[in-house]
Protein backbone atom coordinates (compact mmCIF):
# COMPACT_ATOMS: atom_id res chain seq x y z
CA UNK A 1 0.00 0.00 0.00
CA UNK A 2 1.29 3.44 -0.94
CA UNK A 3 0.19 6.54 0.97
CA UNK A 4 0.33 10.05 -0.39
CA UNK A 5 -0.22 12.81 2.17
CA UNK A 6 -0.87 16.20 0.59
CA UNK A 7 -1.27 19.54 2.39
CA UNK A 8 -2.71 17.95 5.53
CA UNK A 9 -3.42 20.44 8.27
CA UNK A 10 -5.29 19.94 11.54
CA UNK A 11 -5.67 22.50 14.30
CA UNK A 12 -7.23 22.35 17.74
CA UNK A 13 -8.00 25.93 18.59
CA UNK A 14 -4.81 27.89 18.13
CA UNK A 15 -2.61 24.78 18.31
CA UNK A 16 -1.53 23.21 15.02
CA UNK A 17 -1.44 19.45 15.61
CA UNK A 18 -0.49 18.36 12.07
CA UNK A 19 0.94 20.39 9.20
CA UNK A 20 2.39 18.16 6.46
CA UNK A 21 2.68 19.56 2.95
CA UNK A 22 3.84 16.55 0.97
CA UNK A 23 4.88 13.14 2.23
CA UNK A 24 4.84 9.71 0.59
CA UNK A 25 4.94 6.33 2.30
CA UNK A 26 6.03 3.81 -0.30
CA UNK A 27 4.85 0.25 -0.85
CA UNK A 28 6.57 -2.01 1.66
CA UNK A 29 7.94 0.71 3.93
CA UNK A 30 8.10 0.05 7.64
CA UNK A 31 7.81 3.65 8.74
CA UNK A 32 8.67 4.49 12.33
CA UNK A 33 7.00 7.72 13.37
CA UNK A 34 8.80 9.29 16.32
CA UNK A 35 8.52 12.53 18.24
CA UNK A 36 7.94 13.92 21.69
CA UNK A 37 4.49 14.08 23.28
CA UNK A 38 2.23 16.40 21.32
CA UNK A 39 4.26 16.07 18.11
CA UNK A 40 1.15 14.95 16.18
CA UNK A 41 1.76 11.22 15.70
CA UNK A 42 -1.60 9.94 16.88
CA UNK A 43 -3.48 12.79 15.23
CA UNK A 44 -1.87 11.91 11.90
CA UNK A 45 -2.81 8.25 12.30
CA UNK A 46 -6.39 9.19 13.10
CA UNK A 47 -6.57 11.35 9.98
CA UNK A 48 -5.18 8.54 7.80
CA UNK A 49 -7.80 6.17 9.24
CA UNK A 50 -10.61 8.71 8.76
CA UNK A 51 -11.25 8.83 12.49
CA UNK A 52 -10.54 12.55 12.47
CA UNK A 53 -11.23 15.06 9.72
CA UNK A 54 -8.37 17.23 8.56
CA UNK A 55 -9.04 20.93 8.24
CA UNK A 56 -7.24 20.92 4.89
CA UNK A 57 -5.63 18.47 2.49
CA UNK A 58 -6.10 14.82 1.73
CA UNK A 59 -4.66 11.33 2.08
CA UNK A 60 -4.66 8.94 -0.88
CA UNK A 61 -4.04 5.20 -0.55
CA UNK A 62 -2.94 3.22 -3.61
CA UNK A 63 -3.11 -0.59 -3.17
CA UNK A 64 -0.91 -1.23 -6.23
CA UNK A 65 1.20 0.83 -8.60
CA UNK A 66 -0.87 2.25 -11.42
CA UNK A 67 -4.15 1.70 -9.58
CA UNK A 68 -6.38 4.66 -8.80
CA UNK A 69 -5.88 5.87 -5.28
CA UNK A 70 -8.50 5.75 -2.53
CA UNK A 71 -9.27 8.74 -0.36
CA UNK A 72 -10.27 7.20 3.00
CA UNK A 73 -12.52 10.19 3.68
CA UNK A 74 -14.54 9.42 0.53
CA UNK A 75 -14.54 5.62 0.27
CA UNK A 76 -14.86 2.50 2.43
CA UNK A 77 -12.85 0.25 0.08
CA UNK A 78 -9.57 0.78 1.92
CA UNK A 79 -10.91 -0.77 5.14
CA UNK A 80 -10.74 -4.34 3.87
CA UNK A 81 -7.06 -3.80 3.01
CA UNK A 82 -5.99 -2.32 6.32
CA UNK A 83 -5.58 -3.18 9.99
CA UNK A 84 -5.01 -0.78 12.86
CA UNK A 85 -4.79 -0.52 16.60
CA UNK A 86 -4.56 2.91 18.20
CA UNK A 87 -5.90 2.34 21.72
CA UNK A 88 -8.34 0.16 23.64
CA UNK A 89 -11.23 2.16 22.19
CA UNK A 90 -10.77 -0.13 19.17
CA UNK A 91 -11.79 -3.13 21.29
CA UNK A 92 -15.32 -4.36 21.98
CA UNK A 93 -14.66 -4.88 25.62
CA UNK A 94 -17.92 -6.64 26.55
CA UNK A 95 -16.85 -9.61 24.40
CA UNK A 96 -14.37 -12.34 25.22
CA UNK A 97 -11.22 -12.43 23.08
CA UNK A 98 -12.63 -15.46 21.23
CA UNK A 99 -15.85 -13.59 20.44
CA UNK A 100 -13.95 -10.49 19.37
CA UNK A 101 -11.63 -12.41 17.04
CA UNK A 102 -14.64 -14.22 15.55
CA UNK A 103 -16.33 -10.85 14.99
CA UNK A 104 -13.25 -9.51 13.19
CA UNK A 105 -13.11 -12.72 11.13
CA UNK A 106 -16.73 -12.36 10.03
CA UNK A 107 -16.38 -8.77 8.86
CA UNK A 108 -13.14 -9.71 7.04
CA UNK A 109 -14.67 -12.86 5.46
CA UNK A 110 -12.20 -15.16 7.22
CA UNK A 111 -13.53 -18.70 7.67
CA UNK A 112 -13.25 -20.54 10.99
CA UNK A 113 -10.44 -22.83 9.89
CA UNK A 114 -8.34 -19.94 8.61
CA UNK A 115 -9.02 -17.96 11.78
CA UNK A 116 -7.88 -20.88 13.93
CA UNK A 117 -4.67 -21.26 11.93
CA UNK A 118 -3.87 -17.57 12.08
CA UNK A 119 -4.48 -17.40 15.82
CA UNK A 120 -2.12 -20.33 16.32
CA UNK A 121 0.61 -18.12 14.88
CA UNK A 122 0.20 -15.84 17.90
CA UNK A 123 0.39 -18.57 20.55
CA UNK A 124 3.79 -17.47 21.86
CA UNK A 125 2.71 -13.81 21.93
CA UNK A 126 -0.48 -14.67 23.84
CA UNK A 127 1.57 -16.69 26.37
CA UNK A 128 -1.45 -18.71 27.49
CA UNK A 129 -3.09 -15.58 28.95
CA UNK A 130 -5.62 -14.63 26.26
CA UNK A 131 -7.65 -17.59 25.01
CA UNK A 132 -9.89 -19.79 27.15
CA UNK A 133 -9.73 -17.45 30.12
CA UNK A 134 -13.53 -17.19 30.42
CA UNK A 135 -13.51 -13.45 30.95
CA UNK A 136 -14.39 -10.32 29.03
CA UNK A 137 -11.79 -8.13 27.36
CA UNK A 138 -12.49 -5.31 29.82
CA UNK A 139 -11.27 -7.54 32.65
CA UNK A 140 -7.83 -8.18 31.12
CA UNK A 141 -4.66 -6.31 32.05
CA UNK A 142 -3.54 -3.35 29.92
CA UNK A 143 -0.79 -5.49 28.39
CA UNK A 144 -3.15 -8.27 27.37
CA UNK A 145 -5.66 -5.77 25.96
CA UNK A 146 -2.77 -4.42 23.88
CA UNK A 147 -2.02 -7.91 22.60
CA UNK A 148 -5.67 -8.55 21.71
CA UNK A 149 -5.85 -5.31 19.72
CA UNK A 150 -2.60 -5.98 17.85
CA UNK A 151 -3.62 -9.54 16.97
CA UNK A 152 -7.00 -8.33 15.72
CA UNK A 153 -5.29 -5.74 13.51
CA UNK A 154 -3.18 -8.48 11.91
CA UNK A 155 -5.90 -11.12 11.43
CA UNK A 156 -6.85 -10.08 7.89
CA UNK A 157 -3.17 -9.88 6.86
CA UNK A 158 -3.59 -6.25 5.81
CA UNK A 159 -1.71 -4.44 3.08
CA UNK A 160 -1.53 -1.44 5.43
CA UNK A 161 -0.94 -1.88 9.16
CA UNK A 162 -1.01 1.06 11.57
CA UNK A 163 -0.02 0.64 15.21
CA UNK A 164 0.20 3.48 17.71
CA UNK A 165 2.64 2.80 20.57
CA UNK A 166 2.35 -0.98 20.17
CA UNK A 167 5.08 -1.70 22.74
CA UNK A 168 3.22 0.10 25.52
CA UNK A 169 2.18 -2.07 28.47
CA UNK A 170 4.06 -5.12 27.14
CA UNK A 171 6.72 -6.85 29.19
CA UNK A 172 10.23 -7.10 27.65
CA UNK A 173 9.70 -10.65 26.36
CA UNK A 174 6.43 -9.70 24.67
CA UNK A 175 8.05 -6.62 23.14
CA UNK A 176 10.73 -8.77 21.53
CA UNK A 177 8.17 -11.32 20.33
CA UNK A 178 6.14 -8.49 18.79
CA UNK A 179 9.20 -7.24 16.91
CA UNK A 180 9.67 -10.73 15.46
CA UNK A 181 5.98 -10.95 14.52
CA UNK A 182 6.05 -7.63 12.69
CA UNK A 183 9.34 -8.37 10.93
CA UNK A 184 8.13 -11.78 9.79
CA UNK A 185 4.77 -10.39 8.67
CA UNK A 186 6.57 -7.78 6.57
CA UNK A 187 8.92 -10.35 5.04
CA UNK A 188 6.01 -12.60 4.08
CA UNK A 189 3.62 -9.94 2.75
CA UNK A 190 5.66 -6.78 1.96
CA UNK A 191 2.87 -4.89 3.70
CA UNK A 192 3.27 -1.21 4.46
CA UNK A 193 3.57 -0.76 8.23
CA UNK A 194 3.33 2.50 10.17
CA UNK A 195 4.37 2.46 13.82
CA UNK A 196 4.61 5.29 16.30
CA UNK A 197 6.64 4.75 19.42
CA UNK A 198 8.55 6.54 22.14
CA UNK A 199 10.88 3.54 22.27
CA UNK A 200 13.67 4.47 19.87
CA UNK A 201 15.44 1.11 20.18
CA UNK A 202 12.43 -0.98 19.18
CA UNK A 203 11.49 1.47 16.43
CA UNK A 204 14.91 1.50 14.81
CA UNK A 205 15.22 -2.28 15.21
CA UNK A 206 12.33 -2.94 12.82
CA UNK A 207 11.81 0.21 10.71
CA UNK A 208 13.22 0.70 7.23
CA UNK A 209 12.57 4.42 7.46
CA UNK A 210 12.06 6.97 10.24
CA UNK A 211 9.96 10.14 10.14
CA UNK A 212 10.65 12.62 12.95
CA UNK A 213 7.75 14.89 13.89
CA UNK A 214 7.98 18.18 15.71
CA UNK A 215 4.95 20.42 16.29
CA UNK A 216 2.99 18.54 13.62
CA UNK A 217 5.68 18.84 10.94
CA UNK A 218 7.95 16.13 9.57
CA UNK A 219 11.34 17.70 10.14
CA UNK A 220 13.44 14.67 9.19
CA UNK A 221 12.85 11.73 6.85
CA UNK A 222 15.62 9.25 7.54
CA UNK A 223 16.62 6.04 5.84
CA UNK A 224 17.20 3.38 8.47
CA UNK A 225 19.26 0.97 6.42
CA UNK A 226 21.52 -0.88 8.86
CA UNK A 227 19.95 1.19 11.67
CA UNK A 228 21.69 4.31 10.44
CA UNK A 229 18.99 6.59 11.87
CA UNK A 230 19.79 5.66 15.47
CA UNK A 231 22.66 8.09 16.01
CA UNK A 232 20.81 11.07 14.56
CA UNK A 233 17.73 10.31 16.65
CA UNK A 234 19.75 9.94 19.82
CA UNK A 235 21.36 13.33 19.19
CA UNK A 236 17.99 14.97 18.52
CA UNK A 237 16.27 13.63 21.62
CA UNK A 238 19.22 14.24 23.92
CA UNK A 239 19.29 17.90 22.83
CA UNK A 240 15.59 18.23 23.43
CA UNK A 241 15.41 16.65 26.87
Amino acid sequence: MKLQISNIRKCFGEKTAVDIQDFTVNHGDILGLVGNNGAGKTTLFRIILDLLKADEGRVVMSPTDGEDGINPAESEEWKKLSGAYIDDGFLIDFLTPEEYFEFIARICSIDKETLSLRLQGFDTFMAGEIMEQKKLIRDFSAGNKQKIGIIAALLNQPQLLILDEPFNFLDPSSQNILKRILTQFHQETNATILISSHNLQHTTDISTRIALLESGKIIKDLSNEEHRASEELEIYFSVNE
Side-chain angles (χ1 to χ4, degrees):
M1 182 81 74
K2 179 179 179 180
L3 294 182
Q4 182 66 49
I5 298 169
S6 302
N7 302 313
I8 287 289
R9 185 176 174 83
K10 180 65 182 179
C11 298
F12 297 102
E14 296 183 355
K15 177 179 173 56
T16 300
V18 173
D19 185 6
I20 300 174
Q21 297 304 305
D22 185 38
F23 188 72
T24 301
V25 183
N26 299 307
H27 289 286
D29 276 351
I30 305 180
L31 179 71
L33 201 62
V34 300
N36 290 314
N37 288 335
K41 303 183 297 296
T42 301
T43 300
L44 177 59
F45 281 173
R46 290 188 175 277
I47 291 171
I48 292 172
L49 293 168
D50 194 36
L51 299 172
L52 188 65
K53 298 294 184 185
D55 298 326
E56 302 173 17
R58 67 200 304 254
V59 176
V60 175
M61 302 179 178
S62 301
T64 60
D65 289 326
E67 186 173 345
D68 290 340
I70 302 167
N71 183 341
E74 299 173 354
S75 170
E76 300 290 311
E77 286 299 307
W78 62 276
K79 291 184 177 180
K80 63 186 179 184
L81 305 174
S82 66
Y85 185 68
I86 303 295
D87 55 38
D88 61 13
F90 275 50
L91 303 173
I92 305 176
D93 67 0
F94 57 81
L95 299 179
T96 66
E98 290 89 341
E99 291 170 335
Y100 182 57
F101 294 145
E102 287 169 5
F103 170 74
I104 296 296
R106 284 198 299 273
I107 63 176
C108 294
S109 300
I110 300 170
D111 61 53
K112 290 185 178 181
E113 182 179 356
T114 301
L115 172 62
S116 178
L117 287 172
R118 290 183 183 176
L119 287 174
Q120 286 176 24
F122 296 103
D123 279 349
T124 304
F125 188 49
M126 291 190 282
E129 297 179 345
I130 305 295
M131 307 295 280
E132 301 180 354
Q133 299 302 302
K134 297 181 180 180
K135 62 182 183 180
L136 305 179
I137 291 173
R138 64 179 171 228
D139 297 322
F140 281 83
S141 67
N144 282 331
K145 286 179 183 178
Q146 187 86 344
K147 291 181 181 183
I148 292 166
I150 292 168
I151 292 167
L154 282 159
L155 277 182
N156 68 330
Q157 298 185 339
Q159 293 184 30
L160 172 66
L161 176 67
I162 296 179
L163 300 175
D164 192 18
E165 298 289 351
F167 302 105
N168 275 4
F169 311 119
L170 300 183
D171 59 55
S173 293
S174 296
Q175 291 176 355
N176 287 326
I177 292 168
L178 177 57
K179 286 194 291 185
R180 290 199 298 269
I181 287 171
L182 295 176
T183 301
Q184 183 176 352
F185 174 66
H186 181 260
Q187 290 172 345
E188 293 174 351
T189 66
N190 198 38
T192 302
I193 302 175
L194 278 64
I195 294 176
S196 77
S197 180
H198 287 122
N199 190 307
L200 297 182
Q201 183 63 57
H202 290 331
T203 304
T204 55
D205 280 349
I206 64 173
S207 299
T208 60
R209 183 179 171 196
I210 302 289
L212 175 57
L213 265 71
E214 183 178 289
S215 301
K217 297 179 181 290
I218 295 177
I219 62 170
K220 290 184 182 292
D221 180 7
L222 306 171
S223 170
N224 194 39
E225 185 178 353
E226 298 181 355
H227 309 308
R228 291 175 184 169
S230 296
E231 183 176 353
E232 191 162 353
L233 292 175
E234 290 292 346
I235 292 171
Y236 172 83
F237 286 105
S238 66
V239 168
N240 286 273
E241 288 179 349

